[in-house]
């Protein structure tokens, strides 16, 4: 149906009476044209009875009227709104009075209008091929879509219907765009970490592939100038021989060089224990690239998440028979709706107070098995009576089985509670895990003395693993506690007394000596001032200086004063730590921001605060949040294993960086050739 927007019928007259003539012939019957299209077109007579519309920008002409037939304005709107006017595209910044706006359901209304006109405040945005390519690359990175998606017929059809002008992309093109996005985000992150005033801690997690290749995920942990803890994936290094003694050394060297971290490394946490030969390869490298803090005692540690997963595997292995019985019973209930209804009916009749629901576990994550056992144990009465309502159910565990299941849960619960902290907090966990590891250690010590051989033997197997972790990491965990003004040395003294008994003073002295020796190292070998830290120092007086102060600070006559400061500095800074330790403990409030406290007290404890910043940035786990409860090694999927190592690194790192915020989007893509 022809749309007429520039003419209106005068009441009482028919359309036949509105024969088209020149505007001068009917000045009264014709009203002013209201369509915005006439801001871009003019009407000109071409011949007798024939008029055409001319675009003011590109001078292209369009049919308007021939005799009594009027073409309307729809085709004129398309010329402007669809971006086919070349002159308008070239001068889009000069005039923003465009139209055709999309329907917004948030504005109300049941159906979108057939046409909406663009207001002067809503500019027409022309199609931009480079920007679309940039957004497709971001989409693929953020959602882990395969790079080949741009060649899939369904994707091509969708994009062509959405924007016919979009050029089809190849695998190589989108691969280059993804790497370009990675490079932009990497530069943004490098600019950010240049201003980090403290040292960096690294975690290393080894993944495997179906090609027997290894991929070392290296993640950096650090505290920024605002005393906020950060975590970023730095590198994903492909190692062709992951079992070799030099594999991790090579990956660490590549990371230190790539991010200019030589001299700034504070600690390393490994997801898998290093062999003695691996340590022998690693220590010389770190001695050359990085000064060893406290003679390397804080440098290398194991991952607490993997230690707890190994202990959980001991529990699951010891109770695998009863776990299978309970899993089969849960499977029977959940396999059909009728079985589930009967189970709920029995539960309601017995008035079992449990609010937990049955579910099948994921046998690759031990926490789901624990939760399945815990829920089933609370509902054991329902299972015991279910056969009276459902004769087909013949899998009910015995009372001895339920007792054993509760024993397994008692071993798994402390591990589950501790590991859950790693998935729910971004605060420094190194303080928390001093208490958690100590508590697990004490509980297992009690279980070993049990008269039940099953409990005693299982506790011994688990304690061997927690003992090894405690031996390797208790010093750094204790130092982190000392840096918490709610605990300081008092919690260390209390905990060590519970563990070591009469030998506790020896171990307490080891921590006290270590914290003092580390402090002296910070006094003697401070990090060079970064631009960010220099701004903090210069801004200590809120930027308020006067001319006399400027002259005094620049006066070369104070050189003797500088010598005096250097001579007395060591003694003064040593008392800084003692002063902190002698002050009263802060109240043990639950919601306490220890980094925020050091931020407020950095001027009072200038050297000690730098040491606290580095210690509190130490991670206790090298596993990603979603892998905390895994009992199997992580494996790169088949698709990503088929990509080039550089592309794998770009996709994984860029996804992590985009999650925390992106640098400014640029229309111009970095062109990558493949």
């Amino acid at each position: 149906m022809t749309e007429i927007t520039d003419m209106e019928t005068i009441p009482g007259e028919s359309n036949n009476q509105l024969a088209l003539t020149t505007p001068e012939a009917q000045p009264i019957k014709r009203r002013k044209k209201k369509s915005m299209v006439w801001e871009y077109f003019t009407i000109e007579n071409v011949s007798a009875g024939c008029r055409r519309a001319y675009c003011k920008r590109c001078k292209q002409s369009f049919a308007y009227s021939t005799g009594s037939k009027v073409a309307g304005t729809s085709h004129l709107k398309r010329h402007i709104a669809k971006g086919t006017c070349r002159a308008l595209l070239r001068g889009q910044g000069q005039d923003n009075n465009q139209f055709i706006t999309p329907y917004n359901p948030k504005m109300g209304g049941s159906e979108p209008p057939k046409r909406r006109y663009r207001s002067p405040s809503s500019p027409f945005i022309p199609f931009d091929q480079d920007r679309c390519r940039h957004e497709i690359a971001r989409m693929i990175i953020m959602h882990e879509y395969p790079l080949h998606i741009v060649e899939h017929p369904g994707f091509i059809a969708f994009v062509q219907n959405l924007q016919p002008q979009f050029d089809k992309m190849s695998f190589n093109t989108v691969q280059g765009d993804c790497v370009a996005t990675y490079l932009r985000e990497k530069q943004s992150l490098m600019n950010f970490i240049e201003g980090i005033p403290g040292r960096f801690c690294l975690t290393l997690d080894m993944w495997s592939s179906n090609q027997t290749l290894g991929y070392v995920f290296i993640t950096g942990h650090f505290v920024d100038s605002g005393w906020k803890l950060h975590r970023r994936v730095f590198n994903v290094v492909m190692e062709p021989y992951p079992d070799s003694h030099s594999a991790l050394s090579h990956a660490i060297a590549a990371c230190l060089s790539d991010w200019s971290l030589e001299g700034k490394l504070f600690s390393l946490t490994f997801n898998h224990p290093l062999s003695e030969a691996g340590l022998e390869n690693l220590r010389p490298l770190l001695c050359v690239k990085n000064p060893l803090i406290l003679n390397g005692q804080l440098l290398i540690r194991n991952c607490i998440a993997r230690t707890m997963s190994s202990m959980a595997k001991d529990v699951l292995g010891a109770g695998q028979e009863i776990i299978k019985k309970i899993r089969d019973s849960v499977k029977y209930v959940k396999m059909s709706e009728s079985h589930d209804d009967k189970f709920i009916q029995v539960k309601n009749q017995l008035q079992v107070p449990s609010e937990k629901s049955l579910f099948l576990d994921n046998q690759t994550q031990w926490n789901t098995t624990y939760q399945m056992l815990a829920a089933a144990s609370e509902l054991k009465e329902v299972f015991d009576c279910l056969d009276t309502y459902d004769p087909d159910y013949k899998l009910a565990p015995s009372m001895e089985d339920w007792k054993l299941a509760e024993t397994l849960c008692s071993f798994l619960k402390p591990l589950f509670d501790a590991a859950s902290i790693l998935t729910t907090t971004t605060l420094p966990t190194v303080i928390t895990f001093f208490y958690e590891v100590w508590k697990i250690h004490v509980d297992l010590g009690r279980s070993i003395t049990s008269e039940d051989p099953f409990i005693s033997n299982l506790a011994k197997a688990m304690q061997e693993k927690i003992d090894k972790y405690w031996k390797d990491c208790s010093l750094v965990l204790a130092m982190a506690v000392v840096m918490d003004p709610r605990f300081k040395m008092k919690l260390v003294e209390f905990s060590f007394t519970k563990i070591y008994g009469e030998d506790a003073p020896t171990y307490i002295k080891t921590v006290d000596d270590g914290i003092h020796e580390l402090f002296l190292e910070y006094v003697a070998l401070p990090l060079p001032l970064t631009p960010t830290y220099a701004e903090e120092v210069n801004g200590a007086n809120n930027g308020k200086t006067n001319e006399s102060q400027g002259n005094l600070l620049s006066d070369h006559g104070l050189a003797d004063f500088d010598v005096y400061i250097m001579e007395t500095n060591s003694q003064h800074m040593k008392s800084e730590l003692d002063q902190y330790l002698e002050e009263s403990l802060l109240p043990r409030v639950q919601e306490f921001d220890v980094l925020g406290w050091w931020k407020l007290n950095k001027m009072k404890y200038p050297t000690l605060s730098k040491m606290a910043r580095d210690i509190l940035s130490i991670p206790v786990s090298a596993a990603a949040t979603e892998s905390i409860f895994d009992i199997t090694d992580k494996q790169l999927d088949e698709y990503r294993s088929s990509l080039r190592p550089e592309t794998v690194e770009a996709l994984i790192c860029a996804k992590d960086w985009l999650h925390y915020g992106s640098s400014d989007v640029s229309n111009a893509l970095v062109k990558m050739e493949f």
Side-chain angles (χ1 to χ4, degrees), residues 8-31:
E8 297 185 14
T9 303
I10 299 176
E13 293 189 28
S14 65
N15 289 338
N16 294 333
Q17 292 175 315
L18 292 175
L20 290 170
T21 59
T22 60
E24 292 78 4
Q26 299 184 28
I28 297 176
K29 296 180 181 180
R30 185 176 299 278
R31 296 181 181 179

Side-chain angles (χ1 to χ4, degrees), residues 623-638:
T625 302
E626 64 275 10
S627 304
I628 295 297
F629 299 100
D630 286 354
I631 55 178
T632 57
D633 293 336
K634 298 295 292 184
Q635 187 169 13
L636 210 63
D637 60 75
E638 184 176 355

Side-chain angles (χ1 to χ4, degrees), residues 187 189-197 200 259 264 530-532:
Q187 185 59 54
L189 180 57
M190 292 186 76
N191 294 339
F192 175 61
I193 67 174
E194 280 180 1
I196 298 303
F200 292 79
W259 295 91
K264 297 181 180 180
T530 63
T532 301

Side-chain angles (χ1 to χ4, degrees), residues 570-604:
S570 176
Q571 183 177 1
H572 169 71
M573 289 302 179
K574 181 179 180 180
S575 64
E576 184 183 313
L577 172 60
D578 294 332
Q579 179 186 350
Y580 165 77
L581 294 175
E582 291 169 2
E583 290 180 349
S584 300
L585 300 181
L586 294 184
R588 246 180 6 261
V589 294
Q590 204 60 22
E591 300 296 329
F592 179 72
D593 182 3
V594 63
L595 289 174
W597 187 88
W598 281 106
K599 178 181 180 181
L600 293 175
N601 290 272
K602 64 183 178 182
M603 301 308 297
K604 182 179 180 180

Side-chain angles (χ1 to χ4, degrees), residues 525-568:
L525 297 172
L527 278 176
L529 286 182
T530 63
T532 301
Y533 189 76
E535 290 175 6
E536 290 182 4
V537 175
N538 293 336
N541 295 320
N542 297 324
K544 296 180 180 179
T545 59
N546 54 43
E547 185 176 354
S548 62
Q549 289 176 329
N551 292 335
L552 177 64
L553 294 175
S554 62
D555 188 357
H556 297 292
L558 291 179
D560 292 340
F561 177 70
D562 294 335
V563 173
Y564 170 77
I565 289 294
M566 293 178 63
E567 291 175 348
T568 60

Side-chain angles (χ1 to χ4, degrees), residues 119-230:
S119 65
S121 61
S122 249
F124 166 74
I125 301 177
F127 170 68
D128 189 328
Q129 175 79 16
D130 285 345
R131 181 173 287 273
C132 289
R133 284 175 50 189
H134 173 81
E135 292 301 329
I136 287 176
R138 284 170 55 91
M139 174 191 73
I140 289 174
I141 292 171
M142 293 171 64
H143 302 290
E144 298 186 10
Y145 295 137
L147 298 177
H148 288 92
I149 191 175
V150 296
E151 297 177 344
H152 294 172
F155 180 83
I156 294 172
F158 168 74
V159 172
Q160 287 183 340
N161 279 279
L162 195 66
Q163 175 51 261
Q165 297 184 53
F166 184 77
D167 295 334
K168 289 192 294 185
M169 300 175 65
S170 66
F171 169 86
N172 286 338
T173 301
V174 74
Q175 181 178 225
D177 291 347
C178 288
V179 173
T181 300
Y182 157 78
L183 292 175
R184 279 196 306 274
E185 296 299 327
K186 182 177 182 179
Q187 185 59 54
S188 177
L189 180 57
M190 292 186 76
N191 294 339
F192 175 61
I193 67 174
E194 280 180 1
I196 298 303
R199 292 177 169 88
F200 292 79
C201 301
L202 300 180
T203 57
L204 286 85
D205 189 9
M206 178 73 80
W207 289 39
S208 60
S209 74
N210 55 5
Q211 301 168 335
T212 67
L213 300 174
Y215 291 84
V216 185
F217 285 58
I218 305 179
T219 304
H221 304 257
F222 53 92
V223 176
D224 66 13
S225 57
W227 290 84
K228 299 297 181 184
L229 184 62
H230 292 267

